Amino acid sequence: MEITSTSKAFGGAQHFCVHESAQVKTPMTFSVFVPPQAASEKVPALLWLSGLTCTAENFTVKAGAQRKAAELGLALIAPDTSPRGDGVPDDPDGAYDFGLGAGFYVNATASPFDAHYRMRAYVEEELLGVVADAFPIDVARLGLSGHSMGGHGALTIGLRNPGRFRIISAFSPIVSPINCPWGRKALQGYLGDDAAAWRAYDACALLEDGCRAPELLVEQGLADPFLEEQLRPELLVKAARDASVPLTLNYREGYDHSYYFIASFIDAHLAWHRERL
Amino acid sequence: MEITSTSKAFGGAQHFCVHESAQVKTPMTFSVFVPPQAASEKVPALLWLSGLTCTAENFTVKAGAQRKAAELGLALIAPDTSPRGDGVPDDPDGAYDFGLGAGFYVNATASPFDAHYRMRAYVEEELLGVVADAFPIDVARLGLSGHSMGGHGALTIGLRNPGRFRIISAFSPIVSPINCPWGRKALQGYLGDDAAAWRAYDACALLEDGCRAPELLVEQGLADPFLEEQLRPELLVKAARDASVPLTLNYREGYDHSYYFIASFIDAHLAWHRERL
């Protein structure tokens, strides 16, 4: 792993890093914010999964999360959203919602995507080890959050791995890819036509199938243009209720799908995670 | 003037706008953050001038300033850094430090740049009127700040216009373009070889020539790679002392020239401006 840039921020350090990923078989970029408290002790961390079209940069430069993270003594880890580089297949039409920048946090099984699109395995099995080898992060105290496609990633990876991630939140998540156009396109493209295989990548289906979390926190803007067709938080409300998982869903009047929305409420999520780590 | 996008942020509204500029004779883009307090009264504003290569977006998405501005009831205005578009001449070699994205807040007198490169007149005579016509901003309560080339812009425009801008601060400013490579290239290119004309665009020379401000606040990272050759804050220390202008210069150990540095200290600058507006 190589640290490609470091800037001091809020008394801590904002790093960008690149490494050769064994899981996705390309170089992968991620950012790590190390708070000042890490100078004397290992710190808990929040892993942030980003949405469609994002790289490791979007959350890092736009969310304004470092200020509160520095205050709380919380590290922030933000990986890229797909493999990148020569030989990585993309959407045949170059669409923004599949392929590069749109890995959907799955392990692809359909050719030609199965060779590289293994973002589930990358997040669950590789990334945190690479980060913890280089930075003073306590991997027993990890929270998970994300936005949109990354909110889907946070919910599904978190629900499948309660021993690895203590607590999960999400902003504007795709709560049920099986039941929205973005999700159906991605799951069919990466996994093929057998819809039974898709359920492992659907937060609502995972809850129906027995996965559990101690509680869930979801932030959703009511002026989000993707709310009704793609995000459908009401499906998560029902699935969480049926599974007896406490869900706090904050609807925010007037807020859209952008990082201005995330920035407006990220401090509360960071504090919520920190209390539970 | 047209509002091209609006996102709710921290209870206020982050707008991007475009208008046909009479001064630079191209469409110009700027951002305005309107804090929630503006719903009931006109609010003071901070005008932010950005640095080399920046557009209206950089400060708006990277500085994380809206949170504190919403708390303080302070609007934020961030214009582009040069004219743009067909027919606007650029650096002959496409360099980042002259031409597009590098207007240096001058009124160019040298051909072919004099037709469009009038960023001084744009900021001093046009922008604020356009903003105040559309948003509830009290133009009698304006502060001015900026970064690097924009710190130079804030210092020079502020020193020349004490009646228009009550108070000036800067991050990592080019304090004396006459005395650094970035500045000499820009001033020669935009103004020609007569160095006497350059003094109107040099904060230290303006102080020597009698311009005054009630006080100045400057933030400077000590790990800034441009510190010694381009920024040279020691020249401002001497000029301010000779002019009996109180200068607070905060050297920050370990901080570089990036927006991570700005984000780390923007809250303190916003509060400092707000107290004086």
Side-chain angles (χ1 to χ4, degrees), chain A residues 6-12 14 16 57 60-64 66-67 252-256 258 260-261 263-265 267, chain B residues 6-12 14 16 57 60-64 66-67 252-256 258 260-261 263-265 267:
Chain A
T6 296
S7 289
K8 190 168 177 179
F10 296 97
Q14 181 62 59
F16 279 87
E57 277 209 28
T60 312
V61 303
K62 292 184 168 182
Q66 293 91 349
R67 188 190 64 84
R252 300 295 185 179
E253 184 74 37
Y255 285 89
D256 63 21
S258 71
Y260 299 112
F261 165 58
S264 297
F265 298 101
D267 284 5
Chain B
T6 296
S7 288
K8 191 168 178 180
F10 297 97
Q14 181 62 59
F16 279 88
E57 276 209 28
T60 312
V61 303
K62 291 183 170 185
Q66 293 91 348
R67 189 190 64 84
R252 301 296 185 180
E253 184 73 38
Y255 284 90
D256 62 21
S258 71
Y260 299 112
F261 166 58
S264 297
F265 298 101
D267 283 6

